[in-house]
Amino acid sequence: MLKAVNLKTEYKTNPLGMDEPCPRFSYELQGDGLFQKKYRIIVQAEKKVVWDSGFVKDERCNQIPYNGKPLKPFTCYDWKVQVRDENGKVGTSTEKAFFETGFLEKKWSANWILGTYGHCYRKPVQRFIRRFSIDKKIVKARLYTTALGVYEAYLNGKKVSADLFSPGWTDYHHRVQYQAYDVTKMLKRGFNTLADYLGEGWFCGTIPRLNNLGEPAYGPFPMLMQELHLFYEDGTSEKIVSDNQFHTVNHPYSIIMSDIYMGEIYDANEGADSWMLSETEFSYETPAKLFEGDFKKNFFKACPDYHSKKLPEVVWNSGAPVREIMTLEPVSIKKRKQTGTYIVDFGQNLTGRERFLLKKSFRGTTITIRHGEMLNEDGSLYTRNLRQAQATTVYYAANSRKQVIYEPKFTYYGFRYLEISGWPGELKKDQIEAVVIHSDLPDTGHFECSNEMINKLFSNILWGQRGNFLDNPTDCPQRDERLGWTGDTQVFINEATYNMYAPEFYTKWIHDLNSCKEPGLGYPHYIPFAYKKCRFAAGWADAAFICPDVMLKKYGDTRLLETYFDKMKDYFQVQLKKSEGNLIVQNAIFGDWLNLDDPTSKELISTAYLAGMTALMAHHAELLGRKEDAEELKTLSLNVKKAYQKEFFVKNELKEKSQTAALLTLHFDLAPKAAYQNVCNSLLENLASRGNHLATGFLGTPLLLKILTNIGKTDLAYEILQKTDYPGWLYPITQGATTMWERWNSWTEENGFGDINMNSFNHYAYGAVGEWFYETICGIQPLSDTLDQTGFKQFLLAPEFGTSLQYATATYVSQYGPIVSSWQREEKAIFWAFCVPPGTTALVRLPGQDTALKEAGLIKQKNGIFLANPGEYLVEIEQ
Ligand code: BGC
């Protein structure tokens, strides 16, 4: 019998404050059966059935849309699922699954409130307190909370949740998320307090000012909005909403400044969190100000370019929360003789911040902590690559006999090393730790092989992902960027979604990508994008197509494609308007970014992407049943392809000889038939002329190994991957890398540091190569030729056993459960074991191994493909 487990609504386990009118359900199958033949979903609210799907003939167990009575706001819906397997046996889910709606169409009763400052930049973190009393028994309480800024909410002195940097960074011109928390157990009879810290964050800190001549692009000061809904045993209810009964607690401030790029200044003399328990008002408290009158006027006046005199829409939190994920201890602490400062090494470049413990402290002690990814030759901290980001914590100690634990609040750093000055006495290892912070996503992928350096590379890729998954997919976590660069995102999303379960994370980002897209304009080059003038760049803006495509392949998500179909289509028109009628476009602002003296023309890049993306979207249109669109896009794509061939080929030769020119041509299938082999040769010759080293940049590098595989040169791909000299993936490892670097030579033993203007030591883009580990070394690949295959309902297994490896193993936890592909080279044979989860089928491609596949129990299909039903298999491949 099959049973449904791991029940999710809109990719989340039991979400609160969910405002999707038609949420999608998913679950995993476990048990003896092979396939779900029918499912039945029953949804109840207040013990009444609001939707009973009846038994539906369908093998899918995800992306099932709710189709019952309209959902009501603030209501809890329980759901369960029954699955009937191929033998007619029915299993019912036993785990508790529910979703609770939030506001849906309902308006907030709360007000946006603000603190002391009308204009606010690098000012103290605001504090709010609302005192209230409860004299009846509480049965349920929910806190709905958001900010234009970043907030932390507390009830009776305790943090309401482990979430950090809420409400996250969205396109604040259009949308801001709210969070919903079950706070029933945090309240008590009698006196209670709801308190908040409110920082500037991504809303009005340095980030949205840096490219705006220092002026804020979203708004000049942060604001908070909250509703606490209380339900009593006697059936009555009450709401506490942000208004002028909330007080701001002014001077003295403990957090003097907390800014994402700049760091934090903290004065311990002003007490930690005790203010939020005070029953009596402080003399320096004032009622919070409402967002009205002059505040409102000044707010919109401060950024006239950006507002239509409207605050953003408050939307539910479709993203994933940012949390503390782990802590690392120092591997060494050294005191520098010259300066008396400590250098703390955590042995791993990471994203987060420090947490320290002071056993006792004295007023007058100032501890300054600077963060760096590397050390200079003389052992001092290297910070030049941070550019304008100061990335410094300053802690003013107070007199205290008790131990104090401190961690900054609204800032984060990219670092491996700390430089600590002013530490009182000797700094010991148990007094300082690194707190690793990122979006909290379950790990879904693992790869290991017999080459230890490739394993280290895989670890570096994972750390690159951890370091750049802080609410948005960022380019780097340390310097004054930390932006959701679209190019970096599109090259890495496929690898990222093997490593972690990330549909929420990318759904949120894709919403922001599209909310920035104005009719007649392109997609900006990073998201969220705070500014008005939108520059769009080929290979970057195309994230708008590539990211939803990965969501379709990995999770079967069609909703994003449906929702944004028209905007996506509009982007083609925007490009074509600039093409001067010949379908050759030129919007590749960044070219093949950071290529190694092997440039590709902007026209070639842009036109290749246009041809590729129109073809991809034609395919999407077909899958969505949009026949006319599919035809129109197919024709457009073919015409662009023809124009490309006319412009960039001469006598069946690609005019441009760069590696990336050949890679893009092959990747988007743009070569005339008669020229195909020449393009392959051009790539191989270029590689050979460099001793089989890559020279590609951000756009070419992620394609290199997979294209080599596609053209039958997997051995060469293995050779390039395993090169340990410059340039290549393993070279930074020989130089001590613990994350992916922006450049292959960001630092070398021979020449020291690379160009300081662009020298991040935590830049995941080149980590895209990890997809080749899953998809080629172990051969696990999603299929999307038909809608039925998507979301790993049916997938391909086509490993390519590299002669230089003894073994390799990959696990990918798909929505249907773990897919494992693992091979080991023995004396006379290769043993390949794989596992196909219940509810799915694998198509297996292993040329020349028909007998071995048959013996292993696979069923022969057409074109050398074999079918594997759910189960475990072992194939013995003679060598
Ligand atoms: C970022 C890149 C990004 C690029 C655009 C850089 O500053 O760090 O990763 O894609 O700009 O060329």
Side-chain angles (χ1 to χ4, degrees), residues 703-716:
L703 304 180
L704 181 60
L705 300 192
K706 66 177 153 201
I707 295 297
L708 286 174
T709 301
N710 291 351
I711 64 171
K713 295 286 172 195
T714 302
D715 282 349
L716 178 58

Side-chain angles (χ1 to χ4, degrees), residues 256-269:
I256 296 171
M257 190 276 292
S258 200
D259 178 271
I260 291 173
Y261 287 161
M262 297 305 168
E264 179 158 308
I265 304 175
Y266 185 85
D267 189 350
N269 292 294

Side-chain angles (χ1 to χ4, degrees), residues 686-874:
N686 184 319
L687 285 164
S689 73
R690 297 166 197 265
N692 283 341
H693 283 98
L694 54 79
T696 44
F698 269 37
L699 298 182
T701 306
L703 304 180
L704 181 60
L705 300 192
K706 66 177 153 201
I707 295 297
L708 286 174
T709 301
N710 291 351
I711 64 171
K713 295 286 172 195
T714 302
D715 282 349
L716 178 58
Y718 268 106
E719 182 195 326
I720 294 174
L721 170 67
Q722 290 178 91
K723 279 192 179 301
T724 51
D725 55 348
Y726 175 84
W729 284 279
L730 301 188
Y731 179 64
I733 293 170
T734 67
Q735 307 298 301
T738 62
T739 34
M740 299 308 296
W741 291 354
E742 187 170 17
R743 297 167 185 274
W744 307 112
N745 57 355
S746 284
W747 180 85
T748 65
E749 258 170 52
E750 208 182 331
N751 299 318
F753 290 103
D755 178 357
I756 53 159
N757 286 316
M758 281 285 169
N759 205 19
S760 150
F761 290 87
N762 201 350
H763 227 81
Y764 62 41
Y766 289 149
V769 70
E771 70 191 9
W772 196 77
F773 304 175
Y774 292 100
E775 294 187 344
T776 303
I777 300 185
C778 292
I780 304 170
Q781 287 181 38
L783 291 169
S784 60
D785 296 334
T786 66
L787 214 47
D788 288 345
Q789 294 177 316
T790 60
F792 277 90
K793 172 81 183 79
Q794 182 164 69
F795 55 93
L796 186 69
L797 284 177
E800 302 251 1
F801 314 114
T803 46
S804 48
L805 293 184
Q806 267 321 104
Y807 74 88
T809 175
T811 304
Y812 168 59
V813 184
S814 75
Q815 293 186 108
Y816 290 88
I819 298 168
V820 184
S821 169
S822 196
W823 55 266
Q824 166 108 24
R825 197 178 285 284
E826 302 275 321
E827 217 175 289
K828 288 201 179 118
I830 295 172
F831 290 91
W832 175 40
F834 64 88
C835 137
V836 180
T840 67
T841 47
L843 298 182
V844 177
R845 191 181 63 209
L846 211 57
Q849 297 300 332
D850 286 17
T851 316
L853 292 174
K854 264 186 224 155
E855 271 170 19
L858 281 79
I859 310 153
K860 190 159 186 184
Q861 313 287 294
K862 278 188 263 164
N863 303 331
I865 295 285
F866 281 74
L867 183 95
N869 282 322
E872 289 174 8
Y873 297 83
L874 180 65

Side-chain angles (χ1 to χ4, degrees), residues 387 475-476 479 481 485 487-488 540 590 593 698 742 758 763:
R387 307 198 306 216
D475 55 338
C476 57
R479 69 176 178 227
E481 290 212 57
W485 281 93
D488 308 45
W540 270 252
F590 306 117
W593 185 247
F698 269 37
E742 187 170 17
M758 281 285 169
H763 227 81

Side-chain angles (χ1 to χ4, degrees), residues 203-372:
F203 183 73
C204 56
T206 309
I207 287 188
R209 294 169 191 262
L210 207 68
N211 294 320
N212 208 34
L213 303 171
E215 290 302 316
Y218 291 124
F221 48 79
M223 293 194 279
L224 181 77
M225 187 157 79
Q226 289 181 329
E227 288 195 10
L228 177 62
H229 293 194
L230 304 171
F231 301 87
Y232 300 111
E233 198 180 30
D234 64 5
T236 59
S237 64
E238 194 183 351
K239 267 192 228 173
I240 289 173
V241 304
S242 50
D243 57 14
N244 51 17
Q245 290 189 64
F246 275 59
H247 284 190
T248 33
V249 181
N250 300 315
H251 170 83
Y253 291 104
S254 48
I255 310 176
I256 296 171
M257 190 276 292
S258 200
D259 178 271
I260 291 173
Y261 287 161
M262 297 305 168
E264 179 158 308
I265 304 175
Y266 185 85
D267 189 350
N269 292 294
E270 305 307 349
D273 295 339
S274 53
W275 63 272
M276 55 175 78
L277 290 171
S278 165
E279 290 199 30
T280 48
E281 287 184 20
F282 299 102
S283 57
Y284 39 82
E285 248 180 74
T286 48
K289 301 190 171 88
L290 303 187
F291 180 65
E292 58 185 21
D294 280 351
F295 288 114
K296 200 167 176 173
K297 250 192 252 156
N298 292 339
F299 185 92
F300 292 121
K301 234 206 259 159
C303 335
D305 280 356
Y306 301 106
H307 290 285
S308 47
K309 302 221 178 322
K310 242 175 43 198
L311 289 182
E313 191 188 346
V314 183
V315 298
W316 80 280
N317 186 10
S318 58
V322 174
R323 295 200 177 120
E324 169 180 336
I325 304 295
M326 61 175 113
T327 55
L328 296 186
E329 287 173 11
V331 293
S332 76
I333 298 181
K334 288 190 185 131
K335 193 165 188 174
R336 303 194 69 227
K337 278 208 185 102
Q338 308 88 313
T339 53
T341 53
Y342 287 101
I343 295 286
V344 180
D345 177 6
F346 290 100
Q348 173 63 54
N349 196 10
L350 61 96
T351 297
R353 51 210 185 193
E354 69 283 356
R355 184 185 291 140
F356 66 68
L357 182 151
L358 273 178
K359 294 214 166 109
K360 55 183 175 201
S361 55
F362 300 98
R363 197 183 178 111
T365 301
T366 302
I367 299 167
T368 305
I369 304 180
R370 298 197 308 136
H371 303 75

